[in-house]
Amino acid sequence: MTIPGLGKFKTWLTGNVEADATNAVMYDRTLVWMALGLAVIGFVMVTSASMSVAQSTVQNPFNFAIRDAVYLLVCFLLSLITLRIPMSFWLRYSNAMLLAAIMMLVIVLFVGNSVNGASRWVSLGPLRIQPAELSKLSFFCYLSSYLVRKVEEVRNNFWGFCKPMGVMIVLAVLLLAQPDLGTVIVLFVTTLALLFLAGAKLWQFLAIISCGIFSVCVLIVTEPYRMRRVTSFMDPWQDPYGSGYQLSQSLIAIGRGTFMGQGLGNSVQKLAYLPEAHTDFIFSILAEELGYFGVVLVLAMVFFVAFRAMIIGRRALQLNQRFSGFLACAIGIWFSFQAFVNVGAVAGILPTKGLTLPLISYGGSSLIVVSTAIVLLLRIDYELRLVKAQAFVRSPK
């Protein structure tokens, strides 16, 4: 039995290249609209969530909204440039990008600006750059290029498996010095997932995961503020005005959202009750103002972006374009896992971590890096469609 419209839905969901080749569509329309939709929702929510804190700090309720709009404009201009750069360029200079990221992580330890006890930003005039965000994309480009050269060694040799983990440990040490455990966890999980996709043996994962869990536990126990985060996450109501304050206010915001929300701009928790309402905890304000409907919509859009990234990666690997394939998969895993950690922390499912919600939270470095990753997906998809279109034209009638 054939279901009417099922073929069109599958084409929309998976980006069927053969169908698009006949219509000369050379970009992934669904990915573009989903990314633009998330960016628009993010701008609206940043504007709504930041008005109170902006008024109290700089006497301009639209301060963060204006800065976010500038960052979006910068992202758009950079996207026009990035879209024209072939993937061979990223493969060729992946090692140089990683070295530059490591140098910036070192520099931030000496000249970085400290915010809430963490030195993670470098000021360049009116702009502040967060090297930790740049290190994610740089490392994933390096890891993808390494798998192009050493995929057989990764599959058959434990040393081949350990080499990229060693590079990740170097980044982890520099990130923990800031400190930034959240980025380390994102790098660790994405690296393991990508090595698994490359065909590494299961026992290697069990050994590395065991070491990783042990290391995270040691890092938590040795830092009092991390221990407080874990205990407050387990029962925020035990100390609702102390260590559990931020999470308890976040849960109050989510609870007030009900099904349809309080209405855009009608959040109470953003009025100096919930700290970091426009950055790490913007999802709480979104849930309060847009309700269950808005939460499901945003999470569905995040899922489709990550899903399309994995589809593009699989298609590239099938065409033996390994660098593009591994990089697309890394972006999909990174995007989805970071969103999962952010939402989990906001909802009290996971301990609080300083990770933004991709394309939604306020933050120039995060927005620029994530938008660049999305444009790289579009470039990979364009090159794949170009190959398919050329094969389609050359095929005999």
Side-chain angles (χ1 to χ4, degrees):
M1 178 180 177
T2 302
I3 301 176
L6 181 60
K8 291 184 178 180
F9 175 74
K10 290 176 66 177
T11 298
W12 174 82
L13 185 66
T14 61
N16 188 284
V17 179
E18 288 79 2
D20 283 342
T22 60
N23 298 321
V25 177
M26 300 303 292
Y27 65 96
D28 192 324
R29 292 165 293 183
T30 303
L31 182 59
V32 170
W33 286 114
M34 289 295 174
L36 288 176
L38 286 172
V40 170
I41 293 173
F43 175 72
V44 172
M45 293 312 305
V46 165
T47 302
S48 176
S50 65
M51 293 182 71
S52 175
V53 65
Q55 178 64 37
S56 62
T57 54
V58 296
Q59 288 71 52
N60 180 6
F62 297 104
N63 176 66
F64 292 105
I66 294 172
R67 293 174 66 89
D68 197 51
V70 171
Y71 286 131
L72 287 172
L73 178 61
V74 171
C75 290
F76 177 74
L77 296 177
L78 288 177
S79 298
L80 296 179
I81 299 173
T82 306
L83 197 58
R84 295 178 176 274
I85 300 176
M87 296 309 299
S88 58
F89 173 88
W90 300 92
L91 173 61
R92 186 181 307 115
Y93 294 103
S94 57
N95 292 342
M97 290 171 56
L98 179 64
L99 290 175
I102 293 175
M103 291 178 60
M104 292 188 68
L105 289 175
V106 173
I107 291 172
V108 77
L109 297 178
F110 296 98
V111 299
N113 296 329
S114 180
V115 178
N116 296 329
S119 299
R120 301 177 184 174
W121 292 267
V122 176
S123 295
L124 294 176
L127 299 178
R128 290 198 309 170
I129 297 176
Q130 189 173 359
E133 294 293 336
L134 301 176
S135 68
K136 297 175 186 176
L137 185 59
S138 300
F139 177 69
F140 297 147
C141 286
Y142 161 79
L143 183 58
S144 301
S145 68
Y146 175 82
L147 291 175
V148 171
R149 295 177 280 110
K150 304 289 186 178
V151 65
E152 295 301 327
E153 187 177 346
V154 169
R155 293 172 180 173
N156 303 315
N157 191 319
F158 183 68
W159 177 239
F161 179 86
C162 289
K163 285 179 182 178
M165 298 303 299
V167 176
M168 197 219 71
I169 290 174
V170 173
L171 291 174
V173 170
L174 294 173
L175 289 166
L176 290 173
Q178 297 182 5
D180 189 357
L181 180 59
T183 300
V184 173
I185 293 175
V186 170
L187 291 177
F188 179 73
V189 171
T190 306
T191 301
L192 284 182
L194 200 59
L195 292 173
F196 178 78
L197 291 176
K201 292 180 172 59
L202 182 60
W203 70 269
Q204 297 172 340
F205 286 100
L206 296 177
I208 295 296
I209 290 173
S210 300
C211 293
I213 294 175
F214 176 76
S215 300
V216 170
C217 292
V218 170
L219 290 170
I220 291 174
V221 172
T222 54
E223 285 289 350
Y225 81 94
R226 290 183 185 137
M227 199 66 193
R228 286 195 300 270
R229 285 184 176 182
V230 173
T231 54
S232 63
F233 139 75
M234 296 176 66
D235 187 8
W237 307 109
Q238 185 177 3
D239 188 13
Y241 298 104
S243 60
Y245 177 78
Q246 191 173 31
L247 180 56
S248 61
Q249 296 300 316
S250 173
L251 294 176
I252 291 172
I254 294 174
R256 293 188 73 249
T258 63
F259 186 78
M260 294 303 295
Q262 298 296 316
L264 188 62
N266 292 330
S267 168
V268 173
Q269 296 306 111
K270 69 182 180 183
L271 303 177
Y273 291 103
L274 177 62
E276 308 296 336
H278 60 297
T279 56
D280 298 345
F281 278 76
I282 195 171
F283 193 78
S284 303
I285 307 303
L286 186 148
E288 185 180 4
E289 294 188 352
L290 303 184
Y292 178 78
F293 174 78
V295 166
V296 171
L297 175 63
V298 170
L299 291 181
M301 294 172 72
V302 170
F303 165 78
F304 275 113
V305 170
F307 180 77
R308 295 304 284 264
M310 299 303 291
I311 290 293
I312 292 171
R314 186 190 67 173
R315 200 186 308 144
L317 291 174
Q318 289 174 343
L319 293 176
N320 203 33
Q321 297 188 14
R322 290 183 174 180
F323 175 76
S324 297
F326 287 128
L327 181 58
C329 291
I331 292 172
I333 297 165
W334 159 33
F335 193 90
S336 57
F337 181 73
Q338 182 163 320
F340 167 74
V341 172
N342 178 274
V343 175
V346 165
I349 301 173
L350 298 171
T352 303
K353 303 283 354 130
L355 290 175
T356 58
L357 183 59
L359 296 176
I360 302 290
S361 298
Y362 173 80
S365 296
S366 174
L367 195 59
I368 290 173
V369 171
V370 172
S371 63
T372 301
I374 298 296
V375 173
L376 287 179
L377 290 176
L378 291 174
R379 178 68 197 192
I380 293 170
D381 181 71
Y382 166 76
E383 293 186 1
L384 296 177
R385 291 169 187 261
L386 189 62
V387 171
K388 286 286 187 179
Q390 292 172 346
F392 181 82
V393 171
R394 293 173 183 175
S395 62
K397 300 294 185 181

